[in-house]
PDB file of all heavy atoms in Angstrom:
ATOM      1  N   ASP A   3     -11.687 -17.513  -8.237  1.00  0.00           N
ATOM      2  CA  ASP A   3     -11.968 -18.330  -7.022  1.00  0.00           C
ATOM      3  C   ASP A   3     -10.951 -18.179  -5.933  1.00  0.00           C
ATOM      4  O   ASP A   3     -11.288 -18.018  -4.810  1.00  0.00           O
ATOM      5  CB  ASP A   3     -12.198 -19.828  -7.437  1.00  0.00           C
ATOM      6  CG  ASP A   3     -13.389 -20.118  -8.175  1.00  0.00           C
ATOM      7  OD1 ASP A   3     -14.320 -19.235  -8.155  1.00  0.00           O
ATOM      8  OD2 ASP A   3     -13.436 -21.087  -8.827  1.00  0.00           O
ATOM      9  N   HIS A   4      -9.759 -18.126  -6.375  1.00  0.00           N
ATOM     10  CA  HIS A   4      -8.639 -18.174  -5.347  1.00  0.00           C
ATOM     11  C   HIS A   4      -8.097 -16.810  -5.019  1.00  0.00           C
ATOM     12  O   HIS A   4      -7.541 -16.651  -3.989  1.00  0.00           O
ATOM     13  CB  HIS A   4      -7.354 -19.006  -6.025  1.00  0.00           C
ATOM     14  CG  HIS A   4      -7.815 -20.459  -6.199  1.00  0.00           C
ATOM     15  ND1 HIS A   4      -8.100 -21.256  -5.112  1.00  0.00           N
ATOM     16  CD2 HIS A   4      -7.931 -21.149  -7.276  1.00  0.00           C
ATOM     17  CE1 HIS A   4      -8.502 -22.433  -5.634  1.00  0.00           C
ATOM     18  NE2 HIS A   4      -8.427 -22.334  -6.866  1.00  0.00           N
ATOM     19  N   CYS A   5      -8.259 -15.760  -5.934  1.00  0.00           N
ATOM     20  CA  CYS A   5      -7.547 -14.518  -5.669  1.00  0.00           C
ATOM     21  C   CYS A   5      -8.630 -13.339  -5.721  1.00  0.00           C
ATOM     22  O   CYS A   5      -8.267 -12.177  -5.395  1.00  0.00           O
ATOM     23  CB  CYS A   5      -6.473 -14.240  -6.647  1.00  0.00           C
ATOM     24  SG  CYS A   5      -5.253 -15.453  -6.591  1.00  0.00           S
ATOM     25  N   GLY A   6      -9.919 -13.668  -6.158  1.00  0.00           N
ATOM     26  CA  GLY A   6     -10.835 -12.577  -6.205  1.00  0.00           C
ATOM     27  C   GLY A   6     -10.561 -11.606  -7.392  1.00  0.00           C
ATOM     28  O   GLY A   6     -11.019 -10.536  -7.402  1.00  0.00           O
ATOM     29  N   ILE A   7      -9.798 -12.066  -8.383  1.00  0.00           N
ATOM     30  CA  ILE A   7      -9.486 -11.242  -9.472  1.00  0.00           C
ATOM     31  C   ILE A   7      -9.931 -11.937 -10.880  1.00  0.00           C
ATOM     32  O   ILE A   7      -9.690 -13.043 -11.056  1.00  0.00           O
ATOM     33  CB  ILE A   7      -7.931 -10.966  -9.585  1.00  0.00           C
ATOM     34  CG1 ILE A   7      -7.487 -10.283  -8.314  1.00  0.00           C
ATOM     35  CG2 ILE A   7      -7.489 -10.296 -10.844  1.00  0.00           C
ATOM     36  CD1 ILE A   7      -5.928 -10.178  -8.121  1.00  0.00           C
ATOM     37  N   ILE A   8     -10.578 -11.147 -11.722  1.00  0.00           N
ATOM     38  CA  ILE A   8     -10.941 -11.727 -13.006  1.00  0.00           C
ATOM     39  C   ILE A   8      -9.717 -11.662 -13.915  1.00  0.00           C
ATOM     40  O   ILE A   8      -9.065 -10.689 -14.097  1.00  0.00           O
ATOM     41  CB  ILE A   8     -12.115 -10.825 -13.619  1.00  0.00           C
ATOM     42  CG1 ILE A   8     -13.235 -10.707 -12.662  1.00  0.00           C
ATOM     43  CG2 ILE A   8     -12.508 -11.399 -14.926  1.00  0.00           C
ATOM     44  CD1 ILE A   8     -14.016 -12.033 -12.402  1.00  0.00           C
ATOM     45  N   GLY A   9      -9.466 -12.823 -14.508  1.00  0.00           N
ATOM     46  CA  GLY A   9      -8.307 -12.843 -15.423  1.00  0.00           C
ATOM     47  C   GLY A   9      -7.741 -14.279 -15.536  1.00  0.00           C
ATOM     48  O   GLY A   9      -8.167 -15.189 -14.820  1.00  0.00           O
ATOM     49  N   ASN A  10      -6.657 -14.393 -16.216  1.00  0.00           N
ATOM     50  CA  ASN A  10      -5.903 -15.725 -16.433  1.00  0.00           C
ATOM     51  C   ASN A  10      -4.473 -15.449 -15.866  1.00  0.00           C
ATOM     52  O   ASN A  10      -3.812 -14.500 -16.377  1.00  0.00           O
ATOM     53  CB  ASN A  10      -5.973 -16.110 -17.885  1.00  0.00           C
ATOM     54  CG  ASN A  10      -5.431 -17.392 -18.170  1.00  0.00           C
ATOM     55  OD1 ASN A  10      -4.489 -17.844 -17.552  1.00  0.00           O
ATOM     56  ND2 ASN A  10      -5.973 -18.083 -19.084  1.00  0.00           N
ATOM     57  N   ILE A  11      -4.039 -16.342 -15.124  1.00  0.00           N
ATOM     58  CA  ILE A  11      -2.754 -16.331 -14.606  1.00  0.00           C
ATOM     59  C   ILE A  11      -1.639 -16.375 -15.669  1.00  0.00           C
ATOM     60  O   ILE A  11      -0.534 -15.862 -15.577  1.00  0.00           O
ATOM     61  CB  ILE A  11      -2.453 -17.386 -13.538  1.00  0.00           C
ATOM     62  CG1 ILE A  11      -1.158 -16.917 -12.666  1.00  0.00           C
ATOM     63  CG2 ILE A  11      -2.303 -18.708 -14.139  1.00  0.00           C
ATOM     64  CD1 ILE A  11      -1.021 -17.720 -11.429  1.00  0.00           C
ATOM     65  N   MET A  12      -1.972 -16.897 -16.786  1.00  0.00           N
ATOM     66  CA  MET A  12      -1.031 -17.089 -17.899  1.00  0.00           C
ATOM     67  C   MET A  12      -0.736 -15.710 -18.560  1.00  0.00           C
ATOM     68  O   MET A  12       0.145 -15.585 -19.349  1.00  0.00           O
ATOM     69  CB  MET A  12      -1.696 -17.984 -19.063  1.00  0.00           C
ATOM     70  CG  MET A  12      -1.830 -19.386 -18.606  1.00  0.00           C
ATOM     71  SD  MET A  12      -0.328 -20.224 -18.146  1.00  0.00           S
ATOM     72  CE  MET A  12       0.427 -20.416 -19.767  1.00  0.00           C
ATOM     73  N   ASP A  13      -1.620 -14.689 -18.214  1.00  0.00           N
ATOM     74  CA  ASP A  13      -1.369 -13.318 -18.761  1.00  0.00           C
ATOM     75  C   ASP A  13      -0.446 -12.535 -17.888  1.00  0.00           C
ATOM     76  O   ASP A  13      -0.248 -11.359 -18.111  1.00  0.00           O
ATOM     77  CB  ASP A  13      -2.786 -12.607 -18.937  1.00  0.00           C
ATOM     78  CG  ASP A  13      -3.576 -13.282 -19.918  1.00  0.00           C
ATOM     79  OD1 ASP A  13      -3.015 -13.933 -20.977  1.00  0.00           O
ATOM     80  OD2 ASP A  13      -4.828 -13.214 -19.824  1.00  0.00           O
ATOM     81  N   LEU A  14      -0.009 -13.090 -16.761  1.00  0.00           N
ATOM     82  CA  LEU A  14       0.772 -12.356 -15.787  1.00  0.00           C
ATOM     83  C   LEU A  14       2.209 -12.767 -15.867  1.00  0.00           C
ATOM     84  O   LEU A  14       2.596 -13.898 -16.124  1.00  0.00           O
ATOM     85  CB  LEU A  14       0.271 -12.567 -14.352  1.00  0.00           C
ATOM     86  CG  LEU A  14      -1.204 -12.231 -14.039  1.00  0.00           C
ATOM     87  CD1 LEU A  14      -1.432 -12.614 -12.693  1.00  0.00           C
ATOM     88  CD2 LEU A  14      -1.469 -10.762 -14.343  1.00  0.00           C
ATOM     89  N   THR A  15       3.165 -11.884 -15.532  1.00  0.00           N
ATOM     90  CA  THR A  15       4.543 -12.234 -15.251  1.00  0.00           C
ATOM     91  C   THR A  15       4.685 -12.814 -13.861  1.00  0.00           C
ATOM     92  O   THR A  15       3.695 -12.773 -13.057  1.00  0.00           O
ATOM     93  CB  THR A  15       5.453 -10.975 -15.306  1.00  0.00           C
ATOM     94  OG1 THR A  15       5.181 -10.155 -14.172  1.00  0.00           O
ATOM     95  CG2 THR A  15       5.313 -10.275 -16.664  1.00  0.00           C
ATOM     96  N   TYR A  16       5.792 -13.540 -13.569  1.00  0.00           N
ATOM     97  CA  TYR A  16       5.843 -14.150 -12.343  1.00  0.00           C
ATOM     98  C   TYR A  16       5.794 -13.002 -11.273  1.00  0.00           C
ATOM     99  O   TYR A  16       5.244 -13.266 -10.184  1.00  0.00           O
ATOM    100  CB  TYR A  16       7.222 -14.926 -12.155  1.00  0.00           C
ATOM    101  CG  TYR A  16       7.450 -15.448 -10.799  1.00  0.00           C
ATOM    102  CD1 TYR A  16       6.539 -16.315 -10.287  1.00  0.00           C
ATOM    103  CD2 TYR A  16       8.484 -14.938  -9.967  1.00  0.00           C
ATOM    104  CE1 TYR A  16       6.699 -16.740  -8.869  1.00  0.00           C
ATOM    105  CE2 TYR A  16       8.533 -15.348  -8.703  1.00  0.00           C
ATOM    106  CZ  TYR A  16       7.667 -16.282  -8.087  1.00  0.00           C
ATOM    107  OH  TYR A  16       7.851 -16.646  -6.835  1.00  0.00           O
ATOM    108  N   GLU A  17       6.533 -11.931 -11.505  1.00  0.00           N
ATOM    109  CA  GLU A  17       6.503 -10.864 -10.518  1.00  0.00           C
ATOM    110  C   GLU A  17       5.085 -10.447 -10.198  1.00  0.00           C
ATOM    111  O   GLU A  17       4.713 -10.102  -9.083  1.00  0.00           O
ATOM    112  CB  GLU A  17       7.370  -9.666 -10.976  1.00  0.00           C
ATOM    113  CG  GLU A  17       8.867  -9.969 -10.983  1.00  0.00           C
ATOM    114  CD  GLU A  17       9.456 -10.506  -9.634  1.00  0.00           C
ATOM    115  OE1 GLU A  17       9.087  -9.846  -8.676  1.00  0.00           O
ATOM    116  OE2 GLU A  17      10.181 -11.437  -9.671  1.00  0.00           O
ATOM    117  N   GLU A  18       4.266 -10.274 -11.179  1.00  0.00           N
ATOM    118  CA  GLU A  18       2.880  -9.920 -11.018  1.00  0.00           C
ATOM    119  C   GLU A  18       2.128 -11.070 -10.384  1.00  0.00           C
ATOM    120  O   GLU A  18       1.245 -10.772  -9.340  1.00  0.00           O
ATOM    121  CB  GLU A  18       2.177  -9.672 -12.342  1.00  0.00           C
ATOM    122  CG  GLU A  18       2.593  -8.370 -13.112  1.00  0.00           C
ATOM    123  CD  GLU A  18       2.212  -8.282 -14.527  1.00  0.00           C
ATOM    124  OE1 GLU A  18       2.010  -9.353 -15.108  1.00  0.00           O
ATOM    125  OE2 GLU A  18       2.102  -7.190 -14.947  1.00  0.00           O
ATOM    126  N   ALA A  19       2.339 -12.235 -10.594  1.00  0.00           N
ATOM    127  CA  ALA A  19       1.635 -13.388 -10.021  1.00  0.00           C
ATOM    128  C   ALA A  19       1.974 -13.519  -8.574  1.00  0.00           C
ATOM    129  O   ALA A  19       1.148 -13.881  -7.649  1.00  0.00           O
ATOM    130  CB  ALA A  19       1.910 -14.743 -10.799  1.00  0.00           C
ATOM    131  N   LYS A  20       3.258 -13.254  -8.243  1.00  0.00           N
ATOM    132  CA  LYS A  20       3.739 -13.281  -6.867  1.00  0.00           C
ATOM    133  C   LYS A  20       2.999 -12.309  -5.909  1.00  0.00           C
ATOM    134  O   LYS A  20       2.825 -12.579  -4.817  1.00  0.00           O
ATOM    135  CB  LYS A  20       5.266 -12.960  -6.838  1.00  0.00           C
ATOM    136  CG  LYS A  20       5.997 -13.580  -5.737  1.00  0.00           C
ATOM    137  CD  LYS A  20       7.487 -13.523  -6.016  1.00  0.00           C
ATOM    138  CE  LYS A  20       8.053 -12.156  -6.147  1.00  0.00           C
ATOM    139  NZ  LYS A  20       9.538 -12.209  -6.114  1.00  0.00           N
ATOM    140  N   LEU A  21       2.454 -11.273  -6.487  1.00  0.00           N
ATOM    141  CA  LEU A  21       1.806 -10.226  -5.724  1.00  0.00           C
ATOM    142  C   LEU A  21       0.287 -10.542  -5.515  1.00  0.00           C
ATOM    143  O   LEU A  21      -0.420  -9.738  -4.835  1.00  0.00           O
ATOM    144  CB  LEU A  21       1.990  -8.878  -6.275  1.00  0.00           C
ATOM    145  CG  LEU A  21       3.429  -8.437  -6.363  1.00  0.00           C
ATOM    146  CD1 LEU A  21       3.489  -7.065  -7.133  1.00  0.00           C
ATOM    147  CD2 LEU A  21       4.048  -8.297  -5.062  1.00  0.00           C
ATOM    148  N   LEU A  22      -0.237 -11.616  -6.131  1.00  0.00           N
ATOM    149  CA  LEU A  22      -1.650 -11.880  -6.034  1.00  0.00           C
ATOM    150  C   LEU A  22      -2.083 -12.206  -4.630  1.00  0.00           C
ATOM    151  O   LEU A  22      -1.431 -12.948  -3.926  1.00  0.00           O
ATOM    152  CB  LEU A  22      -2.081 -13.090  -6.959  1.00  0.00           C
ATOM    153  CG  LEU A  22      -1.965 -12.886  -8.464  1.00  0.00           C
ATOM    154  CD1 LEU A  22      -2.180 -14.164  -9.189  1.00  0.00           C
ATOM    155  CD2 LEU A  22      -3.053 -11.828  -8.905  1.00  0.00           C
TER     156      LEU A  22
END
Side-chain angles (χ1 to χ4, degrees):
D3 289 341
H4 298 291
C5 303
I7 296 170
I8 303 295
N10 187 324
I11 197 163
M12 298 295 290
D13 297 330
L14 304 177
T15 66
Y16 174 66
E17 293 303 318
E18 293 168 332
K20 205 165 61 168
L21 299 175
L22 289 172

